[in-house]
Amino acid sequence: MKIDPRQIPEEGLSLSGSLPVTDYDLPPGETQGWDKINYRFNLVRTGKEVTITGTLDSEFKITCARCLDPMPWSLNINDFCQVCPIQDDALLDLTPLIREDIILALPLAARCELDGAGRCPYSGRVFTPSDRDDFAEKRRATVWRDLDRLKTEN
Ligand SMILES: [Zn+2]
């Protein structure tokens, strides 16, 4: 997404619309049906800088790290904020800034919320507490085991 600083009026500029995901070189890995990113930006020019604040949001499916089934996911960035210096009124390219914020907002391992009975609302699969071990829990267990081992060695 490129912005022409000369087109930002004194009172600022509001922009909204959607951006094609393919322009943002995002890791498609665990997602499905992710085609656009909606944006709502306010641009204010002050001297040699443009301040861009606003929101980014997107809806798509992501693979549940627990069931390995796709589940709906909504990505919301409510505090997009960037200050870009203007050089010779050249176009400002927001693409890398938007890309970075989106990558940071993507979950490392998305997981469905199980209901009280341990049932996944998307796959319908029921998980007993012992099935619910996820990577973080296993990792924690390993850390404690390693610590214990250290203790006995010393
Ligand atoms: Zn699930």
Side-chain angles (χ1 to χ4, degrees), residues 1-3 17-28 34-39 41 56 58 80 92-103 106:
M1 177 181 197
K2 293 207 167 103
I3 282 166
S18 60
L19 308 164
V21 168
T22 45
D23 289 359
Y24 286 79
D25 191 25
L26 291 162
W34 193 10
D35 52 1
K36 62 184 168 67
I37 302 156
N38 304 311
Y39 66 90
F41 286 156
L56 290 163
S58 199
F80 185 86
L92 302 175
D93 189 3
L94 300 186
T95 304
L97 305 172
I98 292 172
R99 176 173 188 271
E100 195 170 307
D101 265 35
I102 289 177
I103 286 177
L106 282 171

Side-chain angles (χ1 to χ4, degrees), residues 64 67 112 120 123:
C64 171
C67 319
C112 57
C120 167
S123 66

Side-chain angles (χ1 to χ4, degrees), residues 8-9 18 29 42 51 57 83 93-94 107 110 139 146 149:
I8 304 172
S18 60
N42 280 306
T51 302
D57 61 81
V83 178
D93 189 3
L94 300 186
R139 175 84 194 109
D146 291 349
R149 203 169 287 163

Side-chain angles (χ1 to χ4, degrees), residues 5-63:
R6 291 166 303 180
Q7 288 179 352
I8 304 172
E10 191 115 358
E11 66 274 17
L13 181 65
S14 292
L15 290 175
S16 63
S18 60
L19 308 164
V21 168
T22 45
D23 289 359
Y24 286 79
D25 191 25
L26 291 162
E30 305 295 299
T31 65
Q32 287 175 21
W34 193 10
D35 52 1
K36 62 184 168 67
I37 302 156
N38 304 311
Y39 66 90
R40 223 169 248 282
F41 286 156
N42 280 306
L43 286 72
V44 177
R45 182 177 179 157
T46 37
K48 288 265 164 217
E49 283 175 347
V50 176
T51 302
I52 304 120
T53 53
T55 62
L56 290 163
D57 61 81
S58 199
E59 307 270 333
F60 47 87
K61 287 195 168 175
I62 195 160
T63 302

